[in-house]
Amino acid sequence: MDRNKNLRLALPSSGNLYEPSLNFLKASGLNVSRINSRRYTATIPSMKNVEVIFQRVSDITRTIEDGRADLGIVGKDMFYEYRLDATNCEVLIEGLGYAHSNMVLGVPDSWIDVVSITDLSDVASEFRNEGQELRVATKYPRLTERFLLKNGVNYFSLVFSRGSLEVAPAMGSADVIADITETGVTMRENRIKTITGGTIISSQAILICNRGVLNPGDEKQALTKSITELMESYLKSKGSYAVTANIKGKSADEVAQRVLSDVTISGLRGPTISKVFSKSKDDWFAVTVVVDQNELLKVVASFRALDGDSVTVSQPDYVFTSQTDIPN
């Protein structure tokens, strides 16, 4: 492989993003071929000139910043924690639909009067007046500091820790914590509670890139566009259903008018109608519309109201729009 021409995709080498990222890529038509778990490179057989590298999730943003990789899948929290202020990175897809979590502030249950970020600001001021500082234990110092200052908590010190943060208040090494949680169970078990307005960031897996791959005419830009389009089309398909019903009518135009008169079954772009050839003396037409997932039952009911028969529902593998969102 010529690495000057290859597009390099950085993926998490372990942790809660590893398997879901591989599964997401496979579902998007970008199956990763890795010889074994000890190899830190892989390929995507369906994409020529694409090389996959596996890295610690905390290293991926910086790897893309300095151009050692072109694209990467990383948690939104990790991206905003590790990116440079004068960043070379761009977010291509804001959410890949997995690895959901929240970074939140947690305070001891015994602080019964602290229920909001405003209350925490008051506590920090009280600590300051007594010659102390509110100690906040976290693995994400940049995100935590920016959030606290933005929300009026001006007096605090950060206690960086790579270990279990939930025990920090009980051990006396910190007063409150700022940590990632998916369910909140571990916090509750350690007598830590969340507070109103205390969510620092809601995170999930995102796709990022080095801005260099967006340069018009660059071979890597074409590869980036292809990869992004497959991912976006797969994501769009997850919220869409194709609904088909056989409807009796005088002509395709007449059936179309009846369908279009009901906005519920007009579909995302209007119906597709084709003649059904059967032994029946009546004329039947197959009507297919693509609809959002939350409209599915309403659409089925509307087809039934038009005496629609043999209503079938399927989910497309991809939904391609007229163009991708990345620059040409």
Side-chain angles (χ1 to χ4, degrees):
M1 284 187 174
D2 183 351
R3 289 185 176 176
N4 292 323
K5 300 176 70 174
N6 289 343
L7 182 140
R8 305 188 85 188
L9 170 63
L11 298 180
S13 58
S14 60
N16 66 340
L17 279 173
Y18 173 66
E19 287 289 348
S21 294
L22 294 180
N23 292 338
F24 171 79
L25 288 168
K26 182 177 182 180
S28 299
L30 298 163
N31 190 41
V32 175
S33 177
R34 187 181 189 185
I35 295 175
N36 61 63
S37 60
R38 293 182 296 277
R39 287 285 296 270
Y40 284 86
T41 60
T43 61
I44 298 178
S46 63
M47 298 290 291
K48 187 179 179 181
N49 294 330
V50 174
E51 181 181 2
V52 176
I53 61 173
F54 292 93
Q55 291 195 314
R56 292 186 305 176
V57 68
S58 58
D59 293 336
I60 289 177
T61 299
R62 292 292 174 85
T63 298
I64 291 174
E65 288 271 14
D66 62 24
R68 286 178 291 145
D70 304 294
L71 301 180
I73 291 179
V74 68
K76 186 177 180 180
D77 53 342
M78 287 288 190
F79 173 67
Y80 285 105
E81 176 66 25
Y82 289 105
R83 73 169 184 171
L84 301 176
D85 292 331
T87 182
N88 289 319
C89 286
E90 189 91 11
V91 177
L92 282 180
I93 301 180
E94 288 280 355
L96 300 181
Y98 63 92
H100 293 275
S101 64
N102 290 314
M103 184 189 301
V104 299
L105 291 172
V107 306
D109 284 343
S110 58
W111 291 16
I112 58 175
D113 293 330
V114 180
V115 296
S116 70
I117 189 68
T118 302
D119 296 332
L120 189 63
S121 177
D122 293 339
V123 169
S125 297
E126 291 173 8
F127 274 48
R128 178 75 167 185
N129 292 336
E130 296 172 1
Q132 304 177 54
E133 283 189 316
L134 180 73
R135 297 168 301 165
V136 185
T138 185
K139 300 173 185 176
Y140 304 87
R142 296 179 70 207
L143 279 173
T144 301
E145 181 179 29
R146 287 196 294 262
F147 177 82
L148 290 173
L149 293 174
K150 181 180 178 181
N151 286 275
V153 184
N154 298 314
Y155 309 115
F156 61 89
S157 62
L158 297 176
V159 180
F160 182 76
S161 173
R162 296 189 183 277
S164 298
L165 298 178
E166 292 84 2
V167 300
M171 294 180 64
S173 58
D175 302 299
V176 301
I177 68 171
D179 199 12
I180 294 291
T181 181
E182 295 182 11
T183 63
V185 172
T186 304
M187 281 192 177
R188 290 192 296 271
E189 289 180 347
N190 286 277
R191 299 180 180 177
I192 300 290
K193 66 180 181 179
T194 57
I195 58 176
T196 302
T199 299
I200 297 171
I201 188 172
S202 293
S203 182
Q204 63 175 301
I206 62 175
L207 179 70
I208 62 175
C209 75
N210 183 289
R211 287 175 178 162
V213 300
L214 301 179
N215 293 329
D218 192 290
E219 184 173 343
K220 288 185 178 181
Q221 191 227 28
L223 289 168
T224 298
K225 186 174 181 179
S226 296
I227 290 171
T228 304
E229 187 165 26
L230 281 169
M231 290 182 179
E232 288 179 335
S233 301
Y234 167 71
L235 289 170
K236 286 184 175 71
S237 75
K238 298 303 98 183
S240 301
Y241 283 94
V243 185
T244 300
N246 292 333
I247 296 178
K248 189 190 304 183
K250 297 178 181 178
S251 67
D253 287 341
E254 185 267 336
V255 171
Q257 291 302 314
R258 288 161 57 195
V259 171
L260 289 170
S261 66
D262 187 336
V263 294
T264 303
I265 52 176
S266 296
L268 300 179
R269 292 290 184 272
T272 299
I273 300 176
S274 58
K275 184 174 176 59
V276 176
F277 294 90
S278 69
K279 297 179 180 179
S280 171
K281 294 181 180 179
D282 299 314
D283 289 329
W284 287 83
F285 297 87
V287 180
T288 300
V289 293
V290 178
V291 299
D292 288 332
Q293 182 177 3
N294 56 5
E295 297 294 323
L296 178 59
L297 292 179
K298 293 180 182 178
V299 169
V300 172
S302 292
F303 271 135
R304 286 171 172 166
L306 291 176
D307 296 325
D309 190 23
S310 302
V311 180
T312 60
V313 179
S314 61
Q315 190 169 44
D317 292 325
Y318 302 93
V319 175
F320 290 94
T321 54
S322 58
Q323 61 183 8
T324 62
D325 294 330
I326 75 168
N328 290 311

